[in-house]
Amino acid sequence: MSAGDWLTGSDAAFDRRRKLKGAVFAGACGAATLVGVVSLGVLLVDVIIDGIASLDWRFVTALPSRFPERAGIKVALAGSVWILVLTALISFPLSVAAAIYLEEYANRGWVSKTIQTNIANLAGVPSIVYGILGLALFVRGLGLGRSVLSGALTLSLLIMPVIIIAAQEAIRAVPPTIREAAYGLGATRWQVVSRQVLPMALPGILTGTILALSRAVGETAPLIMVGAVGFIAFTPEGPMSPFTVLPLQIYQWVSRPQDEFRAIAAAGIIVLLLLLLSMNAVAIVLRNRYSSKT
Amino acid sequence: MSTTYGITIGSDGPALEVRDVNVHYGSKQAIDGVSLTVPKKKVVALIGPSGCGKSTLLRCFNRMNDLVPSARVDGLIEFRGHDLYAPDVDPVEVRRRIGMVFQKPNPFPKSIYENVAFGPKINGFRGDLDELVETSLRQAALWDEVSDRLGDSAYALSGGQQQRLCIARTLAVKPELVLMDEPASALDPIATQKIEELIYELKEQYTIVIVTHNMQQAARISDYTAFLYMGKLIEYGPTDTIFTNPREERTEAYVTGRFG
């Protein structure tokens, strides 16, 4: 008999089996995690090996060219930044207002339930469908043409459901006791929302918004529909300019026959990934900064 | 001056007059025909077992139930002679005049100073805010503990201090009536004692209606006690009568701890 025997239950075989089950489950979960981490790692390493040689300041600041050694990403990067900023300006206020309305103002009747269900459904609609809508509504219907604005409006429609849902969750996470306290002091609904609920929900709303925006930056299909083009010689000058974006530029380069274009496509991917990773980093910083304060 | 069932009302009328109040949540009736009178500058305790409707009744007095979509209040509740539920009455205005302290301390995630200053600010207070914050904190017996760190987060305070901060916050809007919903139930005995001492001092200036689960607490701090059971007011009278010589058998059974 070993020293720990007094701890063991009467059925030693049963005890061994349940411990084994626990170990197998933990192992399976760990393996599932590894699949994600490893594939991301392989992707990153592969892209960096292919692209790092072409990635320099000249590449970032050069205009596109027929010659791979002269081609740069400036126009696509500027297009992506334009799209990013315009999309944020359009989608953020609309989504936050919608979320506030649904959480703080709307009666919980069947109308708001229907709206709620539809927002959740919209978040799952394929992006190409939004592209077709954007083409019909913004490019043709409103006559905005194949412009940065049309692209940003289309992407705003695409990510608004995601931001609304994230904002609703952040607003719902504000404890009801805080609302009661404010109402109990004679605050109006507007004062409760603007002075207590929104400041507390803001980190969560911003995190959701940034993650949704990074999805928008990576989108290609809907922008092809609204007429972003693969080869443009100049950066956008305003919201009505024609434009291209990073993923589209990368796609164009990859589809060229020359091998040299594959290398600069990889360099373009690195730029896109850096943009996305820095946006996610901002989201993480925002969340940590605000959550440690309260 | 008039006295009914041992409740003495001064010549300037009661603070609160409650007549045949019913509260429904959807189809469920939570309060059934409650009538009682709250005299000015006294402490009235609402006692009764869990789910008897005492918090629901308290929340009728500052129209907090308006925030619950399914709640329906009928009957008459008069505050200084004015019907609180008259169509032209703004519930926001009611809540400014009738303050509320909640069961769990619920300070805002802001500084101690900002917690107290919030109420006056949203109500358009023009005057010396620093002075008002200090007066309110002194009234809540918290000033000496926090005067050198008003800028610190309210969350850095202990539970008992947070609750006194919530009381200071309520007093800062100068309410005429203060409702307290089990204000000490989440606190330890020493913090509870401080809150009770505070209530005793506050009744010099304020009328207080307090819901409590703790019968000893009701006996210690209140002038009048109302016993509720299953949404009905069973008995209401001077606290010592309720605890030593109640008219109703159910009251006696509850205050002696035979059920509840």
Side-chain angles (χ1 to χ4, degrees), chain A residues 235-258:
Chain A
T235 55
E237 286 164 347
M240 302 313 287
S241 303
F243 70 104
T244 191
V245 289
L246 288 171
L248 202 52
Q249 181 72 73
I250 292 163
Y251 174 71
Q252 288 288 336
W253 280 335
V254 171
S255 54
R256 301 272 179 111
Q258 303 99 311

Side-chain angles (χ1 to χ4, degrees), chain A residues 107-108 175 177-189 191-192 195-196 199-200 293-294, chain B residues 59 64 67 92 95-96 98-100 102 106-110 118-119 121-123 155 169-170 173:
Chain A
N107 294 322
R108 313 237 163 237
T177 55
I178 294 292
R179 290 185 185 80
E180 282 190 333
Y183 280 122
L185 291 167
T188 61
R189 193 177 292 247
Q191 285 172 325
V192 173
R195 299 193 186 215
Q196 298 296 345
M200 282 185 85
K293 234 164 88 178
T294 49
Chain B
R59 280 159 181 262
M64 217 57 179
L67 302 174
V92 169
R95 293 184 203 121
R96 193 182 67 73
I98 304 179
M100 190 161 208
F102 297 87
N106 55 353
F108 300 127
K110 299 178 183 225
F118 178 77
K121 275 186 185 169
I122 57 166
N123 287 298
Y155 285 15
R169 181 175 70 180
T170 302
V173 293

